[in-house]
Amino acid sequence: MRKQLPVLLVVVLVLAVALSAGARMNVEEMTTRRAIEQAFQERGGNISELILAKAQALYESGELDADLRGGLIDKSGTPMALEIYRALPELPADVSDRVTRMRARPSCDASITTEHFRIHYDTSGTHKILNWPNTSYRDAVATAAEYVYDQEVTAMGFVPPADDSGDPDGGGGCERYDIYVQNLSGVYGYCQPTYYTGSGNAATSYVVIDNDYAGFGYPDPTDPMKVTVAHEFNHSCQMAVDITEELWYMECTAVWAEEQVYDSIDDYTQYIPYYFNSTYRSLDWEDGTGLRIYGTCVWNIFLSENVDPGVVSDYWNACGGNSSVYQYLDMVLANYGTTIEEQFHEFAMWNWFTGSRCDGAHYSEGASWPLVSITRTFGMFPIVDGEPYSTYRPDHMGMNFIRFTNPGTGWTGLHLAYDGPATLSTPNGASVLQKTSGGTTSEYGDISLNPWGNGDITVEGWDGLSEVVMVVSNQTDNANDMTYTFDAEQVETSVEEGGEYAFALRPASPNPFAASTSIAYTVPTGGGRVEVTIHDVSGRAVRTLVNGHRPAGPGEVRWDGLDSTGRPVATGVYFARLNIDGTTASGKLMVLK
């Protein structure tokens, strides 16, 4: 006899998710699952009451208290189905028995079989299938099921659902995979886990979909039916490998799969704003609405378009055990010659190129997506030790978008210096994007970081740009609230044009440094009085390196890390300040001893 799924205590996990969602939201702004979690967070209650409420929401919605019903339709009831089943062993016997009865297989009065499926439906009563006795909807379900099987199993390479013909509950009456058509409330559908197969973490399952999709906003009810069959069937393939995987990635994959199978329906696009509005949070973070986990499908869309569609199915065919999603993905990506850190950094840049910023070189459907939220915008220079607002620092697998708008003062370059965590302990990255005055957005380049997480870049042609964006990515799988700073200063980059020299201060090299560093500059045509001074973070002058008239053209001076008395300065941040006849510029230096 097959045993049930492993015991997983969910009390702490559920409450942690609820607490992470922030301030209280109106129930009309969330799914029923999140409304239940918020209510129990606020008023207390034990695990039995919480799980019973979720079971009512999924299996007997008419029994659920009205104040626990959310106003948003949930993409999938599978997270609740999994939470309920994992908690069953921890429930008192009477509650466990009640929930077990509620989650039993539906009993229908009719069925048809196809090559791989048995479709169960009712011809009368509450769950009566749409259009009966016309069989058009029933037949559409059967056709969709076989099409989905062919696409997800045969073409995409997912493991087919586990054979349930030996399940203690009868397995639906035959070895074919079971789909039940029922009158659901608040969800598109769900995949119900049933029993362990005895092979690793694999489990049998069945799928439940809605009987008519009335009220879902679709003029053709077969459209939400099709994406739901694709979505929930993908969950059955996941459960055939590992029932214990992280819920966010199960949903990320199922939404991605439905889009691959039914590319023209695009139901997934309604969930992207829930992710794009909070990209500074981790991919696995759940918001207060309960819908963000579906919006993270953009991560799998990116991987399939930038690396290979096989990455996703390869993950599900290899996962299992105690490693996190990120660790398994990194192992899979190694087979494609890349790493999760490299891909997440590129993913952050791709997310800028959607909506009106779509350039045709990134997401294939990005033009129809919303714009990602901007973390901060700056339009006055110089900026010294700029940073994101503390509440928007990127968590693990999170990102920021720092925008610099051109004030139109005629400078030809924008020098950006980034100071992040040490890359060995906290993998992170910074890239620069540019938008021309004509409105075209493109990638400019990465800021090359040293092991200490420092780097800089000068964007040339600043006088012809309307804005520059620095994209910062936290590529770790566990370190949250990543701190970093940046400097931004307008500079002259045209050193020699038609025999004319222009004022310029170059980034110091090396930087950071221990022994000495070189500071290069350009004296404009006609020459001038040049001062190069070193200042500490308080603004106090530490050392004067140049003070006198210099001819036009390039100049350079070295600083040996000593102050004006000849003593070595302390480890820390300093600034090189160039002043040529009243025109000034400065650059940050890092001294390491």
Side-chain angles (χ1 to χ4, degrees), residues 531-569:
E531 292 183 357
V532 179
T533 52
I534 305 298
H535 298 258
D536 62 20
V537 292
S538 69
R540 181 179 63 89
V542 173
R543 174 95 174 267
T544 298
L545 302 177
V546 178
N547 187 7
H549 189 275
R550 295 291 187 274
E556 184 175 332
V557 64
R558 296 192 68 80
W559 181 37
D560 54 12
L562 304 180
D563 65 15
S564 58
T565 66
R567 298 189 185 93
V569 299

Side-chain angles (χ1 to χ4, degrees), residues 149-493:
Y149 188 101
D150 182 62
Q151 292 298 305
E152 296 192 14
V153 175
T154 306
M156 296 162 65
F158 281 92
V159 172
D163 179 4
D164 67 353
S165 58
D167 278 1
D169 64 1
C174 67
E175 75 281 0
R176 291 177 175 83
Y177 192 76
D178 298 291
I179 296 178
Y180 295 87
V181 183
Q182 297 281 282
N183 182 18
L184 300 179
S185 177
V187 296
Y188 277 66
Y190 62 91
C191 182
Q192 178 70 60
T194 48
Y195 297 90
Y196 244 142
T197 65
S199 174
N201 291 324
T204 57
S205 63
Y206 58 82
V207 160
V208 181
I209 66 171
D210 196 56
N211 65 332
D212 59 9
Y213 288 95
F216 281 69
Y218 273 90
D220 182 354
T222 65
D223 282 345
M225 177 274 291
K226 289 174 182 177
V227 295
T228 303
V229 171
H231 183 111
E232 300 304 338
F233 179 78
N234 190 258
H235 280 317
S236 73
C237 297
Q238 298 167 11
M239 293 180 189
V241 177
D242 187 3
I243 196 74
T244 67
E245 279 301 297
E246 297 174 38
L247 293 177
W248 78 269
Y249 196 61
M250 295 179 82
E251 292 303 333
C252 171
T253 301
V255 178
W256 169 83
E258 72 178 55
E259 164 60 10
Q260 301 302 300
V261 175
Y262 290 109
D263 180 53
S264 63
I265 296 179
D266 289 342
D267 185 82
Y268 79 101
T269 59
Q270 65 179 300
Y271 303 104
I272 293 177
Y274 295 98
Y275 174 65
F276 271 8
N277 289 340
S278 56
T279 55
Y280 64 97
R281 296 288 194 180
S282 61
L283 280 167
D284 53 279
W285 182 78
E286 186 169 9
D287 72 345
T289 69
L291 297 180
R292 187 181 188 268
I293 54 177
Y294 311 119
T296 58
C297 65
V298 297
W299 169 236
N300 273 354
I301 293 173
F302 163 78
L303 290 177
S304 62
E305 293 191 13
N306 190 55
V307 183
D308 191 279
V311 169
V312 182
S313 57
D314 284 356
Y315 172 92
W316 283 101
N317 294 340
C319 67
N322 298 320
S323 296
S324 72
V325 167
Y326 303 124
Q327 291 168 328
Y328 268 115
L329 272 175
D330 199 34
M331 288 187 283
V332 170
L333 287 168
N335 297 326
Y336 292 85
T338 185
T339 67
I340 194 169
E341 294 169 5
E342 293 172 353
Q343 291 307 309
F344 188 79
H345 182 57
E346 263 200 76
F347 172 59
M349 287 190 290
W350 274 47
N351 288 341
W352 187 257
F353 294 94
T354 64
S356 60
R357 295 193 287 258
C358 183
D359 64 349
H362 295 83
Y363 293 113
S364 60
E365 296 186 351
S368 65
W369 295 3
L371 298 176
V372 73
S373 293
I374 298 169
T375 310
R376 286 199 72 176
T377 297
F378 296 86
M380 298 181 65
F381 303 92
I383 300 164
V384 177
D385 287 339
E387 58 183 347
Y389 296 116
S390 59
T391 53
Y392 293 95
R393 293 169 182 156
D395 289 338
H396 67 279
M397 293 297 173
M399 63 194 71
N400 282 167
F401 299 90
I402 309 297
R403 183 173 64 173
F404 305 96
T405 59
N406 194 330
T409 49
W411 293 87
T412 58
L414 181 68
H415 179 244
L416 299 173
Y418 171 83
D419 184 2
T423 56
L424 291 178
S425 61
T426 307
N428 65 106
S431 292
V432 175
L433 315 175
Q434 63 179 2
K435 182 178 181 181
T436 65
S437 56
T440 303
T441 304
S442 61
E443 295 183 21
Y444 187 82
D446 286 344
I447 298 178
S448 180
L449 303 184
N450 60 28
W452 296 278
N454 305 120
D456 62 87
I457 193 171
T458 298
V459 180
E460 299 185 355
W462 173 238
D463 52 339
L465 302 177
S466 62
E467 67 182 32
V468 160
V469 176
M470 183 172 67
V471 183
V472 177
S473 59
N474 178 350
Q475 302 154 19
T476 66
D477 62 2
N478 55 20
N480 293 328
D481 199 30
M482 187 184 83
T483 59
Y484 64 92
T485 60
F486 50 85
D487 299 337
E489 184 171 18
Q490 299 180 112
V491 297
E492 288 293 340
T493 58

